[in-house]
């Protein structure tokens, strides 16, 4: 094969044209002498249009109209040999400004004679757009987690609001306890997004959704070769949450090994990636949630007492819906408003009989169950008021659990957080449901009135892959 030296002009031009960065050169009079392909793309000027013009062509905001001297010899790059890479704008051929980083360097020959000036241009348009979308997403999350979006006027909920406000302005570890569907995740989001610490990320990890090994790697990250399939280094969720908050949902499901690991993180505020002994400092706020009674678990010996006390520095208990029935009408109108917007309907409310039933129901699935009941009614309702007949059968007939064809159990009392609903279903039942719902776990959860997390748990238990193979 014939090899080319780097100083072969043809070869050099081709190298310059493969660069993602824009690159152009000037002579000692500031006249453009070369213009690579990326420069054509960024500026809109073809090489033949640019070459022969002066560098004023791109009207760089750093020089043009400010300090750009008429005489190139007075330009900073000639005087200092280079200019610092800085963010600025250049003007596109079509007249709009493009955010870039511009770098310039003077090239001299061995006798000190100026050969020319080499300038590179990094286009920041895409980066700026990503940043803008990230800021937009952050604004949306902040809006979604506004305190005003947590509906409730009951005294017990006022206590929760007070706790959210206090927790929002501190970095203390928060433990949120309450039955499934009571709004624990909503509370965690409100604490993060309504305080002084909302500029960092909120990273949520469901501790029951992964096996111990996967959870360890998810939380702590790993280095290449740490285990089969670890093809490259990977940051864990603790590191991703650096400067922000990590929300560990279903903390009661942690294995004893993961409990010790978490305890160390809380105490030492540093982590080690799996397969590596280097310690990395992290600045995170920890929030955890569980529908289990953690104190009871410590008494049974399944949850470490030291970890429990480390977690419950700032405990928040979210009460079940049946203990704050006065919130039901407000929640109902909130979900109706949401439904009207989503489905472009104009449902005005619930008729007397329907509302009476909603007020009487036990709501074992709490607010999630109420939200689902209203969604169900939206599908069936053909007047401007939801009626008793529009409600799901388990609400209408006051069954604590839905009749879905699965074997059902009665609620089991498990301590101060009340009942734990368990739907007994076989692996085959779940596979069938997954197929029916196109492997949408949230939809399966809706059908059996369980959280998506519970569906995950069953999938994990029965070694069902998370995606259809
Ligand atoms: N007070 C509330 N006002 C409005 N919506 C609520 C409220 N509480 C909960 N919700 C809604 O109910 C649903 C369940 O809430 P969330 O996921 O926060 O509950 P959870 O306690 O974290 O459940 P799980 O323990 O199953 O994870 C969500 O759609 C949430 O937006």
């Amino acid at each position: 094969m014939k090899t080319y030296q780097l100083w072969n002009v043809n070869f050099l031009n081709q190298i310059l044209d493969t660069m993602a960065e824009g690159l152009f050169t000037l002579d000692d009079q500031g006249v453009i002498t070369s213009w690579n392909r990326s420069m054509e793309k960024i500026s809109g000027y073809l090489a033949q249009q640019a070459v022969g013009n002066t560098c004023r062509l791109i009207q760089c905001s750093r020089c043009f109209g400010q300090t750009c001297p008429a005489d190139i010899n007075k330009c900073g790059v000639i005087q200092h040999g280079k200019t610092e890479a800085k963010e600025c704008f250049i003007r596109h051929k079509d007249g709009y400004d493009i955010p870039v980083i511009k770098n310039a360097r003077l090239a001299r020959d061995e006798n000190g004679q100026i050969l020319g000036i080499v300038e590179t241009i990094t286009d920041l348009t895409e980066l700026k757009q990503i940043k803008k979308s990230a800021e937009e997403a952050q604004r949306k999350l902040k809006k979604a987690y506004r305190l005003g979006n947590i509906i409730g006027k009951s005294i017990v909920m006022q206590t929760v609001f007070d706790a959210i406000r206090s927790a929002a302005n501190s970095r203390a570890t928060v433990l949120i306890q309450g039955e499934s569907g009571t709004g624990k995740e909503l509370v965690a989001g409100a604490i993060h997004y309504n305080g002084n610490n909302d500029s960092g990320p909120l990273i949520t990890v469901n501790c029951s959704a992964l096996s111990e090994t996967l959870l360890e790697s998810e939380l702590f990250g790993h280095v290449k070769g740490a285990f089969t399939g670890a093809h490259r280094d990977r940051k864990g969720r603790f590191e991703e949450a650096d400067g922000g908050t990590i929300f560990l949902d279903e903390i009661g499901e942690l294995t004893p090994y993961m409990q010790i690991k978490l305890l160390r993180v809380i105490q030492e505020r540093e982590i080690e990636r799996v397969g590596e002994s280097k310690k990395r400092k992290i600045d995170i706020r920890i929030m955890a949630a569980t529908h289990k009674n953690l104190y009871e678990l410590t008494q049974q010996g399944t949850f470490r007492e030291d970890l429990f006390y480390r977690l419950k520095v700032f405990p928040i208990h979210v009460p079940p819906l049946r203990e704050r029935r006065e919130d039901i009408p407000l929640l109902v109108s909130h979900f109706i408003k949401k439904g009207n917007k989503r489905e472009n309907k104009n449902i005005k409310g619930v008729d007397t009989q329907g509302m009476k039933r909603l007020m009487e129901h036990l709501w074992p699935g709490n607010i999630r169950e109420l939200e689902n009941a209203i969604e169900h009614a939206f599908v069936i309702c053909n007047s401007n008021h939801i009626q008793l007949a529009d409600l799901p059968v388990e609400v209408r007939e006051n069954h604590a659990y839905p009749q879905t064809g699965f074997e059902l159990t009665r609620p089991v009392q498990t301590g101060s957080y009340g009942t734990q609903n368990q739907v007994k279903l076989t692996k085959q039942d779940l596979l069938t449901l997954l197929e029916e719902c196109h492997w949408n776990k949230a939809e399966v959860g809706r059908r059996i009135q369980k959280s998506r997390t519970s569906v995950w748990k069953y999938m994990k238990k029965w070694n069902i892959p998370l995606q259809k193979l």
Side-chain angles (χ1 to χ4, degrees), residues 129-224:
Q129 266 161 4
I130 292 170
K131 201 167 154 213
K132 206 169 143 204
S133 332
E135 280 167 2
E136 182 62 22
Q138 182 82 354
R139 250 196 310 279
K140 275 193 186 150
L141 278 171
K142 214 172 152 114
K143 200 170 155 203
Y145 284 112
R146 266 198 336 241
L147 263 183
N149 282 346
I150 306 184
I151 309 298
K153 60 166 190 173
S154 56
I155 291 178
V156 278
M157 278 310 284
Q158 295 312 314
T159 315
V160 172
F161 290 136
D162 288 344
I164 292 173
R165 281 188 209 101
S166 309
N169 290 315
S170 100
R171 293 278 284 166
T173 304
V174 177
L175 176 62
I176 309 164
Q177 298 190 86
E179 287 178 20
S180 182
T182 45
K184 299 185 292 299
E185 194 172 339
L186 214 54
V187 168
I191 294 174
H192 177 79
Y193 287 106
N194 288 282
N196 306 326
N197 315 307
D198 69 339
S199 52
L202 169 66
I203 303 286
T204 299
V205 179
N206 191 308
C207 300
S208 73
L210 299 168
S211 68
E212 183 180 86
T213 329
L214 283 178
L215 181 64
E216 184 183 18
S217 143
E218 178 76 10
L219 286 175
F220 292 85
H222 60 250
V223 289
K224 186 178 168 185

Side-chain angles (χ1 to χ4, degrees), residues 93-153:
K93 184 173 169 242
D94 293 342
Y96 57 86
D97 285 341
I98 310 152
V100 297
I101 293 180
K102 189 163 97 64
N103 211 343
R105 191 170 279 268
L106 191 65
R108 290 181 189 273
D109 67 11
E110 55 281 7
N111 302 317
Q113 292 300 306
I114 294 177
L115 286 171
I117 298 164
V118 183
E119 306 228 3
T120 57
I121 299 278
T122 310
D123 188 354
L124 299 179
T125 312
E126 220 169 282
L127 210 72
K128 293 265 172 196
Q129 266 161 4
I130 292 170
K131 201 167 154 213
K132 206 169 143 204
S133 332
E135 280 167 2
E136 182 62 22
Q138 182 82 354
R139 250 196 310 279
K140 275 193 186 150
L141 278 171
K142 214 172 152 114
K143 200 170 155 203
Y145 284 112
R146 266 198 336 241
L147 263 183
N149 282 346
I150 306 184
I151 309 298
K153 60 166 190 173

Side-chain angles (χ1 to χ4, degrees), residues 149-152 157 161 178-187 206 247 249-250 289-291 324 331 334-335 338 367-369 371 451-454:
N149 282 346
I150 306 184
I151 309 298
M157 278 310 284
F161 290 136
E179 287 178 20
S180 182
T182 45
K184 299 185 292 299
E185 194 172 339
L186 214 54
V187 168
N206 191 308
F247 173 51
D249 204 0
E250 307 275 9
T290 178
H291 65 275
R324 44 171 159 141
L331 283 160
H334 172 70
F335 293 133
K338 264 174 88 175
I367 302 177
R368 181 180 292 112
E369 187 188 357
E371 190 171 10
S451 65
R452 197 173 48 178
T453 311
S454 310

Side-chain angles (χ1 to χ4, degrees), residues 420-431:
Q420 301 292 304
N421 42 340
Q422 287 178 1
V423 178
K424 276 194 183 166
L425 69 166
T426 64
K427 183 176 179 179
Q428 193 47 52
D429 292 331
L430 184 54
L431 279 167

